[in-house]
Amino acid sequence: YNSRDELPASLGALGGVLEVAEVVVVVHGGGRSASVPAGIGGRVPGDGRPEHRVLHKGNGEIYRRYLALQGTRAYVDTANPSVWVQSVFVPPPLRSFFVEDVALRVKDGRTARERSAALGDLDRDIRTWRAMLTGRGTLVSKFVALYNLHGDYALLSDIVGDPALELSPHISEIGSMLAHMRPNDWKIAGAFDYEFRMIAAVLDDLAREQNPFMEPRGPGEPAPWWESLVPPDMSVYFQLNTTKNLTARYMLEVRKLAEAEGRDYTAERDRLQRWRQEHLAPGVGYFRNPFGKFLLSVSGGDIYDDYPLRVHDIAGFHRLARLAFEVRKQAIADAAIPAFIGQHTWATHPVSGKR
């Protein structure tokens, strides 16, 4: 890292959240963990407020640590690629407590200023997870960010849909929150560069083994009968550099799927499946580097196909939140909503185009 402005505000604070948050939230709450409200329009039970205040009082420090993450300007995974790298996330009880806190403060706010303070926290939270989503991170980090953005926009949708809430003083604030996410923010292609490095590290580990098929034996322990059939030199069956090159080519193909527009998802997925059939499926060419191709087909296979689709679904939910906001802001009558949707491509699902 070269600049504090390009860093998470405090990795130490984040580490503290990871180590302590779940214990504090649950134990100090007398066994109750905060739950995500189903909606703000009367669906946060009134008798839950005293418990929420108790949780807030007993967990003030850990909650301040969570809010301190909202100073994050960017997100970068710097750990060496490995399957053992620990994922960074906020424990669900703490995350749920934040959503519940914002919902209650917006609902119970007596003045526009009080509600704006709560909306400000939600706005900064959206910025935080957007920074993680658009940063240089692993595939897991992308979906941690997406999960939290989904929750934030679900809460914002409930706020917009609450008929008891006067929205007019907060139109610009809500519009700004919806405008944070730009079309290219939803593309996670960069995560597959990290996936390649992680798979390459696993391949290096395998190559260091004399023969991955040989089982370790104790002194004097006879070898299994089939071991004599396995050649001591595995270079014919597992060619490290060839496998790495094939993995790199495969990740480039996966990137094309992740970079494609939603309307092109199905065609790009079919193209990727044809590529796998040609390069990874058993056939005459399988006799050259068979173990390497087998490893890639197992570790990669079709597991990446649905990740971009999940991203498109969450992007579609963001579009739905924007649609609900525009309908209320412009006071569009129910009968006029289909026509309004037909005039705006952003109001449909990115993949299916359905209204």
Side-chain angles (χ1 to χ4, degrees), residues 55-288:
L55 277 174
H56 202 295
K57 183 177 181 181
N59 298 277
E61 175 58 27
I62 203 67
Y63 191 48
R64 281 191 292 273
R65 291 186 187 186
Y66 177 81
L67 295 179
L69 296 178
Q70 296 181 349
T72 299
R73 300 288 185 88
Y75 179 87
V76 181
D77 272 317
T78 59
N80 290 330
S82 168
V83 294
W84 308 113
V85 171
Q86 184 176 5
S87 301
V88 176
F89 65 95
V90 174
L94 180 58
R95 170 67 189 167
S96 298
F97 182 80
F98 167 78
V99 174
E100 184 179 272
D101 187 61
V102 172
L104 287 172
R105 288 164 59 202
V106 170
K107 185 170 180 59
D108 296 344
R110 290 171 294 181
T111 64
R113 177 175 292 184
E114 290 178 351
R115 292 191 293 273
S116 289
L119 291 172
D121 282 344
L122 182 59
D123 180 276
R124 287 184 290 274
D125 201 66
I126 290 172
R127 291 172 182 265
T128 298
W129 299 116
R130 178 189 174 275
M132 189 175 194
L133 176 63
T134 59
R136 297 192 294 274
T138 66
L139 196 57
V140 172
S141 75
K142 303 296 184 185
F143 278 90
V144 168
L146 285 164
Y147 168 81
N148 291 317
L149 283 169
H150 192 184
D152 283 347
Y153 282 119
L155 174 59
L156 187 61
S157 297
D158 289 331
I159 291 171
V160 169
D162 186 353
L165 182 66
E166 176 56 49
L167 278 192
S168 56
H170 309 292
I171 291 296
S172 62
E173 296 163 282
I174 296 174
S176 176
M177 282 186 263
L178 290 165
H180 289 327
M181 298 302 299
R182 296 184 284 273
N184 284 338
D185 291 345
W186 299 107
K187 296 181 178 180
I188 60 171
F192 295 105
D193 298 341
Y194 191 97
E195 286 293 299
F196 165 71
R197 294 194 294 271
M198 184 179 67
I199 294 174
V202 172
L203 294 174
D204 285 334
D205 289 340
L206 284 173
R208 278 190 286 269
E209 296 288 337
Q210 253 192 349
N211 194 324
F213 287 112
M214 300 296 188
E215 294 183 354
R217 301 191 307 273
E221 183 180 347
W225 65 269
W226 51 263
E227 194 167 290
S228 61
L229 303 177
V230 179
D233 182 10
M234 290 296 297
S235 61
V236 176
Y237 302 94
F238 176 44
Q239 300 170 14
L240 177 61
N241 290 337
T242 301
T243 306
K244 283 186 177 180
N245 290 336
L246 183 61
T247 303
R249 290 170 58 196
Y250 180 50
M251 287 296 119
L252 288 174
E253 297 299 321
V254 174
R255 276 186 62 106
K256 293 177 184 178
L257 177 63
E259 290 173 340
E261 299 297 331
R263 62 180 178 273
D264 300 323
Y265 167 79
T266 301
E268 285 295 322
R269 183 197 58 195
D270 293 345
R271 180 199 56 77
L272 181 60
Q273 290 173 350
R274 289 192 298 270
W275 190 96
R276 279 198 302 267
Q277 186 65 29
E278 179 181 352
H279 297 279
L280 300 181
V284 175
Y286 219 68
F287 291 100
R288 183 175 184 270

